[in-house]
């Protein structure tokens, strides 16, 4: 099967931003781009459906129009458009199974109108079998790179170094899928990888069974050693990737959001587990998706 990155599209500005981000990622991977649009048949077509077109014809027209836009911006990239009759969540979950990466658009930052609350994107991110990247509308290729000198043309921007990739790491439950994704993302971009690990000091009663209480500096040193131990095999596997470790005491979500400012991509994990009321996003992934200003990759792992 043809290697590909998939972008979910629905005609919105955010899905167009996702399509163009996915096109750049497909180019970095040497893969094709698949544009997927889900549509559902209605007994009475919506007013937005032209009188001289069927719902199917309108649905099939969208991937072709977006594909033409992407091809114009990314000559040489193989682009495939599909319109599938099913619910958006079902279509996107199936697409995630077949693609190296699924890319979706988002509507904005945080607050009551946060872009994921109650949305198709949230359900797909929480259930997808493969990595999913959320891209915000308004982003551009320039946002992935460090600031360009005055007078540089848009065609020269890809030659400017990429901003860092940021990885949120939990040393208590590290996983190869998450760490490998972040190192590969940095390697493709030729960028640095910033690893963020935050820890919380145990309450006094929880630490009472320790023979020698651990002080703040000693605890930090323990955490730093744990980070290095987890990452050591990856340093050897990706010697070309410059890695910076940030180990701080505090809330993991807050530290990751702070590190995401000025990043090209934030990478967080989602543990695959089922709850009585369905799937669940952890607090760190949830915070990153709502508040990180850059694209966020959510990598499922066991």
């Amino acid at each position: 099967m043809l290697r590909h990155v998939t972008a979910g599209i629905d005609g919105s500005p955010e899905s167009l931003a996702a399509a163009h981000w996915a096109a750049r990622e497909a180019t970095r991977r040497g893969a094709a781009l698949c544009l997927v649009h889900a549509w559902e048949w209605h007994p009475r077509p919506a007013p937005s459906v032209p009188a001289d077109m069927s719902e199917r014809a309108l649905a099939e027209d969208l991937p072709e129009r977006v594909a033409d836009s992407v091809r114009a911006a990314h000559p040489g990239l193989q682009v495939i458009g599909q319109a599938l009759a099913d619910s958006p969540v079902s279509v996107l979950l199936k697409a995630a199974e077949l693609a190296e990466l699924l890319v979706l658009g988002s509507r904005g930052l945080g607050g009551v109108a946060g872009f994921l609350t109650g949305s198709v994107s949230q359900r797909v991110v929480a259930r997808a079998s493969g990595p999913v990247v959320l891209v915000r509308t308004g982003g551009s290729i320039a946002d992935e790179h460090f600031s360009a000198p005055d007078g540089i043309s848009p065609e020269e921007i890809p030659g400017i170094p990429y901003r860092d990739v940021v990885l949120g790491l939990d040393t208590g439950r590290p996983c190869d899928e998450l760490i490998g994704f972040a190192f590969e993302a940095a390697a493709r971009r030729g960028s640095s990888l910033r690893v963020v690990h935050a820890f919380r000091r145990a309450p006094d009663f929880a630490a009472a069974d320790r023979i020698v209480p651990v002080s703040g500096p000693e605890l930090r040193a323990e955490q730093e050693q744990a980070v290095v131990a987890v990452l050591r095999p990856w340093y050897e596997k990706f010697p070309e990737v410059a890695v910076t470790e940030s180990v701080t005491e505090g809330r993991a979500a807050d530290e990751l959001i702070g590190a995401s400012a000025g990043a090209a991509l934030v990478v967080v994990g989602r543990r695959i587990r089922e709850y009585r009321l369905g799937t669940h996003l952890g607090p760190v992934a949830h915070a990153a998706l709502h508040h990180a200003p850059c694209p966020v990759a959510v990598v499922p792992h066991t």
Side-chain angles (χ1 to χ4, degrees), residues 1-185:
M1 181 176 291
L2 184 67
R3 293 179 52 236
H4 64 279
V5 171
T6 292
I9 58 172
D10 60 7
S12 65
E14 50 268 24
S15 74
L16 185 60
H20 282 278
W21 191 97
R24 297 193 293 274
E25 180 65 15
T27 300
R28 285 188 286 263
R29 292 170 177 254
L33 172 64
C34 182
L35 302 172
V36 173
H37 172 52
W39 68 281
E40 296 180 278
W41 181 82
H42 301 92
R44 295 183 178 180
S48 58
V49 179
D52 59 346
M53 291 185 73
S54 65
E55 283 185 300
R56 177 181 293 275
L58 183 64
E60 292 176 345
D61 181 62
L62 176 62
E64 287 307 311
R65 286 191 286 110
V66 176
D68 287 343
S69 171
V70 170
R71 291 188 188 105
H74 306 276
L77 176 64
Q78 184 175 359
V79 184
I80 304 163
Q82 294 181 322
L84 302 174
D86 203 344
S87 72
V89 172
S90 296
V91 166
L92 293 172
L93 288 176
K94 290 176 184 175
E97 293 177 1
L98 301 175
E100 293 185 9
L101 183 69
L102 176 65
V103 184
L104 303 175
S106 62
R107 288 190 170 85
L109 292 171
V112 176
F115 74 92
L116 279 177
T117 304
S119 69
V120 168
S121 294
Q122 183 173 9
R123 285 175 281 166
V124 172
V125 170
R127 294 169 54 189
S129 59
V132 181
V133 173
L134 271 291
V135 178
R136 301 187 192 285
T137 186
S140 69
I141 185 173
D143 297 325
E144 297 183 77
H145 299 263
F146 287 107
S147 299
D150 292 338
I152 194 169
S153 68
E155 292 77 15
E156 296 176 281
I157 288 176
I160 303 296
Y162 279 93
R163 296 179 183 273
D164 295 348
V165 172
V166 173
L167 166 64
L169 179 67
D170 179 358
T171 57
R173 295 180 294 184
C175 67
D176 288 348
E177 298 97 327
L178 175 64
I179 300 172
F181 184 97
F183 269 87
E184 289 169 0

Side-chain angles (χ1 to χ4, degrees), residues 195-239:
V195 180
V196 176
H197 171 64
F199 65 93
R200 302 292 291 273
R201 196 177 313 195
D204 291 341
F205 67 84
D209 60 342
R210 299 188 71 135
I211 297 175
V212 180
V214 177
S215 66
E218 289 174 339
L219 181 56
R220 181 184 297 274
E222 278 189 4
Q223 297 293 325
E224 290 172 347
Q225 292 168 7
V227 169
V228 171
V230 168
L231 296 178
R232 185 173 290 115
W234 300 95
Y235 298 152
E236 298 171 359
K237 187 174 182 179
F238 293 89

